[in-house]
Amino acid sequence: MNAPALLRVPNTDEGNPVVATAVYPIRRRKQKHAVRLRVLTSVLADAMLTCIGGLLALKLEFSLKLWQSLMFIGEPAHHMGGLAELNAVHLLLYVTLLLLAAHAQNLYRVSPVRNPMRDAVLVFRAVAIAGVLLTAFIYLSGVETVSRFVVGLTAAFSFVALTSWRASSWYLRRRKAARGVGLQHVLIVGAGKVGQLLASHFDENPSLGYKVKGFVDSNHHDDPRILGRMEDLSQVIRQEFIDEIFITIPSEREVVKAIAQDMSQFNLGLKVVQELYDGLARFSPQEFVGDFPVRVLQREQSPHPTRLLKRLIDIVGSAVGLVLLSPFLALIGLAIKIASPGPVFYRASRVGKKGRRFVCYKFRTMVERADEQKQVLQHLNERVGPLFKISKDPRVTRLGAFLRRHSIDELPQLWNVLKGEMSLVGPRPPESDELMEYKLEHLGRLDATPGITGLWQVSARHDPCFETAVALDTWYIGNWSLFLDLQIMLKTIPVVVKGLGR
């Protein structure tokens, strides 16, 4: 299937896009850019918070000395400007020392398994080391005008700020996980005693951030959570949108080696409970997942910087769009309420990235309880495959037809974009019942965040063939770039203005 000439893209055979670039321990150099990005984010946050703490300390000292000067019990106020500048120079030195000390304490280690108390201890050590080194430097340099009070106050502010933001991040992640938001889909290899204990541990502690989808095992066939045998592992990974694999049969060394080799083609995490085997995990980092010690053979690749930039564009674009369009959205909502009885918004169940379901918001364009009439109208369906579409749908209101032609009904999806459930550009989000009719090769289109607009919407919107939509979405995922997104967004404008939707 060729991508549309509209965007001048080459004809390629992508295969299944779920199969991503290999990320294997012996090839870790390939993901150094992602590791550096994560470290840089933490470093910048620490530097910014430390600078803010230092400036607050300088401000406090300045206010105290100004008050002393006004009370004629201190030095003249005109000397304090130079003093503040001198302290500001030492503040930059302190920030540098603190970042180096934090690095020495492994505070910037990628994917550390720590809790707020452990982080607080490491931050305290880093702050103390930086404070002692700065004080020693000031003493040896003979600079007597630098306030030790500012140094101590800056260290205190730094400890509170760095500890607080780490604890807040940890707490928010745990709270979201406890609500089932953003959980990692886990597949356990081995349904024996250890595998069952691990699954129970994850089920009883959702705050760990894992959701067990099932087991892969060639022996325990009576377990209802068995998703397949060992040889079905690759297929199960794609069907269940697995993010991480836990191997609980480390004694079967050759089997584990084979799994590790096969899984190198997938962008997912691979951990082994307990034992080492034949040097395969000799240099792999050891961590604790809950109460279980594991060896990390492979980590899921962090998002590429351009992916993070795409998310940043989504956040800014959706936020600005919601603010600027809010009066217009309010008028549309009022018009819908006047035109026909029923709610203003239509809350549709849709399937997002890796099969995660979410509520997709649209302006209501149909009569109330329109979903109940879908089965009655099934014989009028004009699409081939699991898609359902009628050009002159009797359920659509007169106002709704206008909103659909100009895609105005999809503007509330900006809220989905802001929440991270959708993107400005991406594959079309399928309906929940539509997913039930998917074949294995169709699941690849769920490897990306769905979008308000996309390649299919601007090039084959009225094509009745489901395979066309799948091929276009698959091509988009395999050939994605920010420039391609820009092209699609520019092509969306005339589609909306001309009213080509329906």
Side-chain angles (χ1 to χ4, degrees):
M1 169 72 196
N2 289 338
L6 182 67
L7 294 177
R8 298 182 180 179
V9 287
N11 180 18
T12 59
D13 181 12
E14 276 299 308
N16 195 319
V18 175
V19 180
T21 303
V23 185
Y24 199 61
I26 61 175
R27 286 175 273 175
R28 286 177 187 156
R29 293 189 184 122
K30 293 185 177 181
Q31 57 180 153
K32 278 188 177 180
H33 64 278
V35 173
R36 292 191 186 115
L37 184 64
R38 297 174 65 180
V39 171
L40 180 61
T41 301
S42 297
V43 169
L44 291 177
D46 285 351
M48 181 183 67
L49 291 172
T50 304
C51 286
I52 292 174
L55 293 175
L56 288 175
L58 288 172
K59 179 66 175 177
L60 182 58
E61 184 200 34
F62 182 84
S63 300
L64 290 175
K65 289 190 176 293
L66 180 61
W67 180 80
Q68 291 175 353
S69 177
L70 293 175
M71 296 297 294
F72 302 103
I73 59 175
E75 58 187 6
H78 64 272
H79 291 306
M80 287 185 286
L83 178 61
E85 291 176 5
L86 189 59
N87 279 329
V89 172
H90 285 81
L91 171 61
L92 295 178
L93 176 60
Y94 175 75
V95 171
T96 303
L97 292 172
L98 178 58
L99 296 180
L100 292 175
H103 176 69
Q105 294 298 315
N106 290 324
L107 275 169
Y108 303 127
R109 181 182 170 192
V110 176
S111 296
V113 180
R114 291 195 302 260
N115 55 48
M117 291 300 297
R118 179 59 179 166
D119 273 346
V121 172
L122 297 179
V123 170
F124 178 81
R125 290 178 183 174
V127 168
I129 292 172
V132 169
L133 291 176
L134 180 62
T135 302
F137 174 80
I138 293 173
Y139 175 78
L140 294 176
S141 63
V143 179
E144 299 180 356
T145 55
V146 176
S147 171
R148 273 65 172 177
F149 170 76
V150 172
V151 174
L153 199 58
T154 300
F157 284 160
S158 299
F159 173 75
V160 173
L162 270 60
T163 302
S164 297
W165 90 260
R166 282 177 167 79
S168 299
S169 299
W170 180 87
Y171 173 75
L172 290 175
R173 287 196 302 268
R174 300 272 289 193
R175 186 175 179 182
K176 288 174 61 178
R179 298 199 312 267
V181 178
L183 296 181
Q184 292 283 95
H185 290 177
V186 166
L187 179 66
I188 298 178
V189 177
K193 182 178 179 180
V194 177
Q196 296 291 343
L197 288 173
L198 182 63
S200 298
H201 190 63
F202 288 157
D203 292 340
E204 295 168 3
N205 299 275
S207 60
L208 292 175
Y210 296 106
K211 179 181 180 180
V212 178
K213 302 293 287 186
F215 299 90
V216 169
D217 198 307
S218 298
N219 300 318
H220 300 79
H221 304 295
D222 55 338
D223 194 311
R225 302 178 75 178
I226 296 289
L227 300 176
R229 301 168 64 87
M230 292 296 185
E231 52 267 29
D232 303 323
L233 185 58
S234 297
Q235 180 175 336
V236 172
I237 287 173
R238 285 180 285 182
Q239 286 178 331
E240 301 297 330
F241 307 101
I242 299 301
D243 298 305
E244 196 146 358
I245 295 177
F246 284 84
I247 302 177
T248 61
I249 50 170
S251 58
E252 300 184 27
R253 304 183 178 188
E254 295 305 320
V255 174
V256 175
K257 284 183 178 181
I259 292 174
Q261 185 63 41
D262 292 342
M263 293 305 101
S264 65
Q265 63 179 313
F266 292 96
N267 180 28
L268 46 72
L270 180 61
K271 293 184 173 71
V272 181
V273 177
Q274 295 181 344
E275 299 176 21
L276 305 179
Y277 30 84
D278 290 3
L280 182 62
R282 184 181 303 164
F283 302 107
S284 299
Q286 183 172 1
E287 298 178 354
F288 274 84
V289 177
D291 298 331
F292 288 78
V294 298
R295 285 283 179 175
V296 182
L297 297 188
Q298 177 175 306
R299 295 190 190 276
E300 184 177 3
Q301 189 176 18
S302 299
H304 191 275
T306 52
R307 294 282 181 182
L308 297 178
L309 180 58
K310 176 181 173 69
R311 177 58 189 148
L312 179 61
I313 293 173
D314 285 341
I315 293 174
V316 174
S318 59
V320 172
L322 287 170
V323 172
L324 295 181
L325 295 174
S326 55
F328 177 68
L329 297 177
L331 289 176
I332 294 298
L334 180 61
I336 292 173
K337 202 67 179 177
I338 295 174
S340 63
V344 172
F345 296 104
Y346 173 63
R347 295 170 174 82
S349 176
R350 292 291 185 266
V351 182
K353 185 176 181 180
K354 293 196 173 184
R356 293 180 172 89
R357 286 168 171 77
F358 67 97
V359 177
C360 180
Y361 296 95
K362 289 185 176 185
F363 280 127
R364 181 176 59 85
T365 59
M366 294 185 176
V367 295
E368 200 171 8
R369 297 187 179 89
D371 287 339
E372 299 175 5
Q373 306 176 31
K374 184 175 179 180
Q375 291 300 325
V376 179
L377 301 172
Q378 191 69 41
H379 66 286
L380 299 176
N381 185 20
E382 300 172 358
R383 295 296 172 91
V384 179
L387 297 178
F388 180 83
K389 194 76 172 180
I390 304 174
S391 58
K392 295 182 180 180
D393 198 320
R395 301 172 297 169
V396 178
T397 64
R398 182 176 299 179
L399 176 60
F402 172 81
L403 298 179
R404 285 189 166 204
R405 279 198 302 274
H406 296 280
S407 300
I408 298 174
D409 61 316
E410 297 180 357
L411 288 179
Q413 292 173 23
L414 290 172
W415 177 245
N416 292 113
V417 175
L418 189 61
K419 292 171 64 179
E421 297 164 336
M422 295 183 66
S423 176
L424 294 176
V425 182
R428 182 189 62 84
E431 299 180 13
S432 297
D433 55 353
E434 175 185 326
L435 188 64
M436 302 301 295
E437 301 183 39
Y438 273 28
K439 299 177 182 178
L440 181 62
E441 58 269 22
H442 297 155
L443 296 176
R445 67 193 301 267
L446 301 179
D447 195 46
T449 304
I452 296 180
T453 186
L455 186 58
W456 172 79
Q457 289 92 324
V458 300
S459 57
R461 192 182 189 114
H462 304 308
D463 192 317
C465 183
F466 171 70
E467 295 296 336
T468 300
V470 171
L472 289 172
D473 287 340
T474 301
W475 189 94
Y476 168 81
I477 294 171
N479 295 272
W480 175 83
S481 68
L482 289 176
F483 180 68
L484 179 58
D485 276 2
L486 177 61
Q487 285 182 294
I488 293 173
M489 293 181 72
L490 292 177
K491 296 296 181 182
T492 302
I493 297 175
V495 172
V496 172
V497 173
K498 295 177 181 179
L500 299 180
R502 63 187 183 187

